[in-house]
Amino acid sequence: MKRHLFSIGLIASFLLSAVSHYSGIFPSAVQLALSCIAIIFVAGFLGKATESVAHYAGERVGGFLNATFGNAAELIIAFFLVKEGKFEIVKASITGSIIGNLLLVLGLSLLIGGLKYKEQNFNIKLASHNGSLMLLAVIALFVPAAFASSLTTLKMSTLSITVAVVLIAAYLLWLYFSMVTHKNELADEAVEHGEPAWSKGLSIFFLVLATAMVAVQSEWLVGTLEVFTHQFGLSELFVGAFVIAIIGNAAEHSAAVMLARKNKIGAAVEIAVGSSLQIALFVAPVLVLISLFFGKTMDIVFTTFELVAIGVAAIIAKSISQDGSTNWYEGVLLLVVYCILGIAFFLV
C-alpha cells in the first residue's frame, strides 16, 4: 500500500511540476514549491533504487553507490548553475551539501537510530580515516581563501584548477585504498539486507531512470530560484546553502535514516560522511573543471561564512564519530549546530 501511494505521489508531483514549468500559469513561489516536492519524491525513488542495487553489489560498493547517486541531485543542480555563471550559489550549495550531510543527515541518523538502540558501533579505523579526509577538505578550501588577496585573477584560476586536480586524485586514491588494498580492515560486520525491492536488472534500470528524472527536475528547479530569491528577499548564500542543499540531500536523508533505524549505523555514517567527502573532494573540484568549458573558471575561494560553517561541521563531526560509537544525544548535538548555522545564514 505504501509503495503504491509513493508511486502515485512520485508521478503526480513530477507531472504537476512539468505543467507548472511549461505552462507558466502558476506564481514563482508555487512553481518552486512544486519543484521541491517533486524532487523530494524523485530523490526518494533514487534512494530506493540505490538501496536495491546495493543489495546485489555488497555493503562497501552499496555505501559508495548510495553516496554517489545520492549526490546526483546536487551535482546536476550545480552543473546548471555553473552553466548560467551563478558561481556564488554553486559554492553556497557545496557548503550546504557538506554541512547538511555532516550535521543534518548524520545528526538525524544518530538520533533516530539511537532512540531505538542505546548505543551503535561502526568501524573505528574507517572513522579515523574519514576524520583525516574531512580535515584535508577543510585545508584545501582554507588555503586558496587565505592566498586570494595576494593573487591575480589568472593566478587564482591556476591555483583553483591545480587544487581541483589534486583533490580529485586524492579522492580516487582513497577509493582504491578503501575498496581494494584495505577493504577488509575498513569493512563493517556483514548485516542482512532483507529482500530487495526489485530484481537486479530492474534495480539498475530504475537507478538510471531516477537519475534522469533528477536531472530534468533539477533544471526546472534552477529556473525558478532566481525569481523566488528576489521576490522574497532571500540571500543567495541562504538559498544555496540551505534550500538547495536540503532538497538535494533528500535521498541521503531517507537512505541513511532508514539504515540507522535498522541498526546499520556503519552504512548510515558512510552515506552521510562519505557524501560530504565526495562533495568536497570530487564534486566541487569537478565543477571547477567543468566551468572551463563555459568560458569562465569558477575559483575555489569560499567566503568567510562558508569556511567557518564547513570548519565547524568537520570539527564536531570528527569529534563525535572518531570513537566508532554513537548514541542519540550525539545526534542532537549535530542538529543543534546545524540550527545555529541555519539561523546565522538566514540573517546574513
Side-chain angles (χ1 to χ4, degrees):
M1 185 64 177
K2 286 183 179 179
R3 186 179 295 181
H4 291 308
L5 288 174
F6 178 82
S7 300
I8 293 169
L10 172 67
I11 296 167
S13 62
F14 193 83
L15 290 176
L16 278 172
S17 181
V19 171
S20 171
H21 176 76
Y22 289 110
S23 68
I25 59 176
F26 296 108
S28 59
V30 175
Q31 288 184 40
L32 181 62
L34 289 172
S35 290
C36 290
I37 293 168
I39 208 165
I40 287 170
F41 270 102
V42 173
F45 179 38
L46 183 63
K48 286 176 180 291
T50 308
E51 188 179 22
S52 188
V53 170
H55 174 87
Y56 300 100
E59 279 287 340
R60 193 70 193 163
V61 177
F64 173 70
L65 286 173
N66 263 301
T68 302
F69 282 95
N71 281 332
E74 286 99 316
L75 179 59
I76 295 164
I77 290 172
F79 171 81
F80 288 111
L81 289 170
V82 166
K83 187 179 178 182
E84 294 180 19
K86 298 176 180 178
F87 297 151
E88 297 311 309
I89 293 186
V90 172
K91 285 186 260 189
S93 67
I94 289 169
T95 301
S97 295
I98 294 171
I99 65 175
N101 280 303
L102 287 179
L103 300 177
L104 181 60
V105 178
L106 185 58
L108 281 173
S109 298
L110 301 191
L111 175 60
I112 301 301
L115 289 174
K116 188 173 181 182
Y117 302 95
K118 188 173 183 179
E119 190 173 279
Q120 295 180 295
N121 300 294
F122 60 100
N123 191 300
I124 194 167
K125 288 184 179 179
L126 180 61
S128 176
H129 285 299
N130 281 340
S132 298
L133 284 167
M134 278 187 242
L135 292 182
L136 168 62
V138 172
I139 291 167
L141 296 179
F142 264 84
V143 170
F147 285 82
S149 60
S150 302
L151 299 177
T152 63
T153 303
L154 181 60
K155 288 182 177 179
M156 193 66 247
S157 295
T158 303
L159 177 60
S160 296
I161 293 167
T162 304
V163 170
V165 171
V166 170
L167 287 181
I168 290 171
Y171 183 70
L172 294 177
L173 288 172
W174 161 245
L175 293 182
Y176 181 72
F177 174 84
S178 63
M179 293 188 183
V180 181
T181 64
H182 288 68
K183 65 177 182 180
N184 294 328
E185 290 86 344
L186 300 180
D188 276 302
E189 291 182 16
V191 183
E192 288 298 318
H193 277 288
E195 289 300 313
W198 305 291
S199 66
K200 185 177 180 179
L202 198 58
S203 298
I204 295 171
F205 171 73
F206 282 152
L207 191 60
V208 174
L209 176 63
T211 305
M213 290 175 74
V214 167
V216 173
Q217 192 60 58
S218 298
E219 186 175 11
W220 296 344
L221 176 63
V222 169
T224 64
L225 271 177
E226 189 171 356
V227 177
F228 178 81
T229 302
H230 289 304
Q231 185 175 342
F232 288 87
L234 298 175
S235 68
E236 290 186 344
L237 186 63
F238 178 76
V239 171
F242 285 84
V243 178
I244 292 178
I246 288 174
I247 295 165
N249 282 333
E252 286 98 322
H253 289 170
S254 57
V257 172
M258 208 161 26
L259 288 165
R261 186 153 178 79
K262 294 176 182 176
N263 204 25
K264 302 176 185 177
I265 194 65
V269 169
E270 187 172 339
I271 290 171
V273 177
S275 291
S276 289
L277 293 175
Q278 191 174 78
I279 290 288
L281 303 180
F282 185 76
V283 173
V286 163
L287 290 171
V288 171
L289 300 182
I290 285 174
S291 69
L292 295 173
F293 295 99
F294 297 116
K296 186 179 179 182
T297 306
M298 182 181 84
D299 62 50
I300 206 163
V301 179
F302 284 66
T303 67
T304 303
F305 302 130
E306 292 165 341
L307 291 173
V308 168
I310 292 170
V312 165
I315 289 169
I316 190 166
K318 183 180 188 303
S319 173
I320 281 174
S321 64
Q322 66 185 358
D323 62 352
S325 175
T326 67
N327 54 63
W328 68 266
Y329 188 67
E330 290 179 334
V332 170
L333 295 178
L334 293 173
L335 293 173
V336 166
V337 175
Y338 189 72
C339 289
I340 292 171
L341 288 174
I343 294 167
F345 272 60
F346 180 74
L347 295 174
V348 169

